[in-house]
Amino acid sequence: GQNSSSNPYLIRRIEELNKTANGNVEAKVVCLFRRRDISGNLNTLADSNAREFEEESKQPTLSEQQKHQLKHRELFLSRQFESLPATHIRGKCNVTLLNETDVLVGYLDKEDCFFYSLVFDPVQKTLLADQGEIRVGSKYQAEIPDKLAEGESDNRVQEKLETKVWDPNNQLKDPQIDQFLVVARAVGTFARALDCSSSIRQPSLHMSAAAASRDITLFHAMDTLQKNNYDLAKAMSTLVPQGGPVLCRDEMEEWSASEAMLFEEALEKYGKDFNDIRQDFLPWKSLASVVQFYYMWKTTDRYIQQKRLKAAEADSKLKQVYIPTYTKPNPNQIMVPGSKPGMNGAAGFQKGLSCESCHTAQSPQWYAWGPPNMQCRLCASCWNYWKKYGGLKTPTHLINPQQSSGPRGHMTRQEVQGMSPFTRNEGRAKLLAKNRQTFILQTTKLTRIARRVCEDILQPRRAARRPYASINANAVKAECMYTHSLTLLWNQASQPRVGQSLLGKRGFDSVSILHKHTFMFFLFGIRLLTGAESNRQLA
């Protein structure tokens, strides 16, 4: 999407399309952020995460250009939602979750392809690993022992490796086992009738019987048979000890109706982010309890009903929307007087200026970029790269005022773009030093005179603190030229003349010496008047 003609495109994930009352279409979207959108501290955290990934996945060596461009492909997912007009959509891109099998350089070969591995919280200003991380790679695989050779015995102690919970070669037949499971269900129903809390949660006999038929009761019954060596008499007495019948309850029965409603509300808000569900809605429950309840809740009729309702809502919502091609001219286009859009070549606009990124001097279309007083430009290809990926193909030294304000507002673009997620700090310092160029400012005589003569107009200290504030050049020129003309008059008057003078036989040089101080005071008075007049004009 686009919210500014000069800033890069916004990257958003469309959740749903809604039609407003006035007939327009709005998109509910999830915000994704670039590196240029987060603070310097979080960039440092992202750098360390990227270095760990690079070492663990054993990425091939990358060139400096590839390292620089890779950071333009990294995004940060967020939980922030917003609504945008569908007319802001400018195109489609692909964003994938980074995993160890990915080769980073492959993202540079694909157009409009991005990756993410961290989640950014715009409110808390935090950067955390995505809970939905797909764990693939060698370190997440099971270690399979070598196959035993023919005739080789297994010398491992089996009791330490596993616990036997059922023996299929037992003396009981299937009808006898089924009869025992029916008895276990009946005991569970009777136990709920005796339990006060169960009678409140399951007031109906049918509901109590249904709760007693759940897996946890059957598992307990089968464990009882195993522990009693499949002796039905001993197993029966274990189900009903002296204290009363055994009551087995799982998470579905432990949770109250109000807690289940809270869970459904949290699931609607956070999805399957069980940490946030527990922290914000059910802090008195354990994480294991929340996860177990979710998978049991998915087996209920309640889940099936909600799924049907969501499917019906999805059918009534918009599936797609037609976005016409955006044909409005970009305000950043540099137009040659009398030319049509797209026809202004390099020869028609200030020869000698080249693209700020690729340094080419020829382009079918130029775009203004950076501070207006710097008159920087990008060619059509680099402008398209800037809009899509939020950076330049090569680093630049300019401070970009279009960059979002924040803790990094004082940093130069070179420093910001040099903070590659795949470059170490010491390497980044060397890169900065290497790319800096030496330059010399050579001032004219008029400029050097203006520093002293027009100090009240220029105000050098004030101008140094505000480098982009404009200075009234016309007032400075007028002041300098007026003072320059008076200086010439003084020089002419100070030169000795041969022959007849204004005071008879004496030369003008003696007169100039006698009246030198008077003439200087005269010039000073004019200077004060012209300065005051200039100040009034400026005010």
Side-chain angles (χ1 to χ4, degrees):
Q2 179 174 345
N3 65 346
S4 171
S5 61
S6 56
N7 287 340
Y9 293 130
L10 302 176
I11 298 180
R12 301 290 185 261
R13 186 180 71 196
I14 298 177
E15 292 293 307
E16 60 184 37
L17 296 169
N18 299 314
K19 199 168 185 179
T20 59
N22 55 5
N24 297 328
V25 177
E26 283 190 349
K28 182 183 177 183
V29 297
V30 176
C31 301
L32 290 100
F33 294 87
R34 304 178 191 265
R35 274 184 164 258
R36 68 195 302 274
D37 301 323
I38 65 176
S39 66
N41 293 333
L42 295 183
N43 265 280
T44 304
L45 187 61
D47 289 342
S48 62
N49 178 76
R51 285 194 296 270
E52 291 177 4
F53 172 82
E54 187 178 3
E55 293 171 358
E56 291 176 359
S57 60
K58 299 179 181 179
Q59 294 290 323
T61 305
L62 303 175
S63 65
E64 293 298 326
Q65 183 81 355
Q66 289 173 329
K67 291 177 182 178
H68 170 75
Q69 292 183 2
L70 262 178
K71 69 178 176 293
H72 301 152
R73 303 300 184 103
E74 183 177 14
L75 300 177
F76 303 100
L77 184 66
S78 76
R79 309 297 183 201
Q80 178 177 325
F81 290 85
E82 61 181 22
S83 294
L84 296 175
T87 53
H88 285 194
I89 299 174
R90 293 291 176 266
K92 184 170 65 173
C93 64
N94 183 29
V95 182
T96 57
L97 178 63
L98 188 66
N99 61 71
E100 287 188 351
T101 60
D102 287 345
V103 180
L104 290 172
V105 73
Y107 285 93
L108 299 179
D109 301 331
K110 301 175 185 177
E111 191 74 13
D112 305 330
C113 191
F114 301 86
F115 65 88
Y116 80 94
S117 61
L118 299 175
V119 177
F120 172 59
D121 187 342
V123 178
Q124 302 294 332
K125 304 296 182 186
T126 56
L127 205 59
L128 301 172
D130 185 21
Q131 297 296 329
E133 180 183 1
I134 301 174
R135 297 188 172 185
V136 296
S138 57
K139 70 177 184 178
Y140 298 115
Q141 303 303 315
E143 296 181 3
I144 302 175
D146 296 334
K147 185 178 179 181
L148 295 175
E150 188 175 354
E152 183 182 358
S153 60
D154 190 357
N155 299 323
R156 297 175 299 175
V157 180
Q158 297 296 326
E159 288 75 11
K160 293 183 179 180
L161 297 177
E162 55 192 17
T163 302
K164 191 174 183 178
V165 295
W166 184 258
D167 185 5
N169 300 318
N170 59 75
Q171 67 271 21
L172 296 177
K173 297 181 179 180
D174 289 344
Q176 292 177 301
I177 295 174
D178 292 338
Q179 289 174 351
F180 183 76
L181 294 180
V182 172
V183 172
R185 293 190 190 100
V187 171
T189 305
F190 181 61
R192 282 168 177 77
L194 297 178
D195 184 61
C196 296
S197 62
S198 295
S199 61
I200 296 174
R201 297 184 182 186
Q202 310 288 355
S204 170
L205 177 62
H206 292 87
M207 294 178 66
S208 297
S213 301
R214 293 184 64 81
D215 291 341
I216 191 168
T217 303
L218 302 181
F219 291 161
H220 176 69
M222 298 176 79
D223 288 341
T224 303
L225 283 175
Q226 168 69 20
K227 291 176 182 177
N228 291 278
N229 295 321
Y230 301 93
D231 187 334
L232 289 176
K234 289 182 179 179
M236 201 78 70
S237 61
T238 306
L239 286 180
V240 188
Q242 291 184 355
V246 174
L247 177 58
C248 302
R249 289 190 296 204
D250 56 18
E251 293 297 335
M252 279 298 295
E253 198 173 354
E254 291 288 350
W255 287 46
S256 65
S258 59
E259 289 173 338
M261 294 293 290
L262 280 175
F263 174 81
E264 290 179 355
E265 183 182 346
L267 194 68
E268 184 72 22
K269 181 177 181 181
Y270 293 120
K272 291 192 295 183
D273 196 337
F274 299 118
N275 281 311
D276 289 346
I277 290 175
R278 175 183 174 274
Q279 182 177 353
D280 293 349
F281 284 82
L282 299 160
W284 57 89
K285 296 286 187 182
S286 66
L287 183 61
S289 174
V290 173
V291 174
Q292 189 177 1
F293 179 79
Y294 168 74
Y295 286 102
M296 290 184 175
W297 173 79
K298 287 186 69 174
T299 63
T300 62
D301 292 338
R302 174 80 174 177
Y303 169 76
I304 297 173
Q305 291 173 4
Q306 288 195 357
K307 198 171 182 180
R308 288 174 180 171
L309 287 174
K310 287 185 177 180
E313 289 178 2
D315 289 339
S316 63
K317 290 182 179 179
L318 292 173
K319 296 291 188 306
Q320 58 184 4
V321 60
Y322 171 71
I323 303 296
T325 305
Y326 189 75
T327 56
K328 293 183 180 180
N330 194 305
N332 292 76
Q333 288 184 6
I334 300 174
M335 303 296 296
V336 176
S339 67
K340 296 181 180 180
M343 298 299 295
N344 55 337
F349 191 88
Q350 295 189 12
K351 293 182 180 180
L353 293 177
S354 59
C355 176
E356 187 66 27
S357 178
C358 66
H359 309 295
T360 183
Q362 297 291 334
S363 176
Q365 178 66 59
W366 292 97
Y367 295 87
W369 181 86
N373 61 319
M374 300 295 291
Q375 294 187 353
C376 298
R377 69 208 52 248
L378 296 177
C379 65
S381 174
C382 292
W383 176 260
N384 188 44
Y385 184 94
W386 157 256
K387 294 291 287 184
K388 285 185 176 182
Y389 305 116
L392 299 185
K393 294 179 182 179
T394 56
T396 182
H397 313 285
L398 297 179
I399 298 174
N400 181 21
Q402 297 159 351
Q403 189 171 346
S404 57
S405 59
R408 301 165 68 206
H410 63 283
M411 300 176 68
T412 63
R413 174 164 285 277
Q414 170 67 21
E415 291 172 325
V416 173
Q417 294 188 344
M419 293 202 311
S420 170
F422 312 101
T423 307
R424 299 187 181 274
N425 291 335
E426 57 267 24
R428 186 170 71 246
K430 293 178 182 177
L431 180 64
L432 289 175
K434 179 180 178 182
N435 287 343
R436 284 204 181 94
Q437 298 178 358
T438 306
F439 63 94
I440 300 174
L441 292 176
Q442 187 172 2
T443 57
T444 62
K445 290 184 179 181
L446 186 62
T447 305
R448 292 199 293 270
I449 294 172
R451 290 177 184 168
R452 291 169 173 80
V453 175
C454 307
E455 187 174 357
D456 57 336
I457 300 176
L458 284 175
Q459 296 182 353
R461 289 196 177 190
R462 180 181 176 87
R465 296 190 186 102
R466 301 171 62 191
Y468 296 110
S470 58
I471 296 174
N472 192 340
N474 293 330
V476 174
K477 281 186 178 181
E479 181 76 10
C480 290
M481 293 306 295
Y482 187 74
T483 307
H484 182 61
S485 61
L486 291 177
T487 305
L488 290 177
L489 178 61
W490 168 256
N491 290 338
Q492 290 175 3
S494 300
Q495 291 177 1
R497 295 186 179 182
V498 180
Q500 201 173 17
S501 64
L502 293 175
L503 297 177
K505 296 180 180 180
R506 289 185 300 170
F508 194 78
D509 53 339
S510 59
V511 178
S512 63
I513 293 172
L514 290 173
H515 298 281
K516 179 178 180 180
H517 298 289
T518 305
F519 193 75
M520 286 181 66
F521 279 116
F522 168 71
L523 287 179
F524 184 72
I526 293 175
R527 172 73 180 82
L528 288 176
L529 291 174
T530 55
E533 186 176 352
S534 299
N535 287 336
R536 285 196 299 272
Q537 290 176 357
L538 286 173

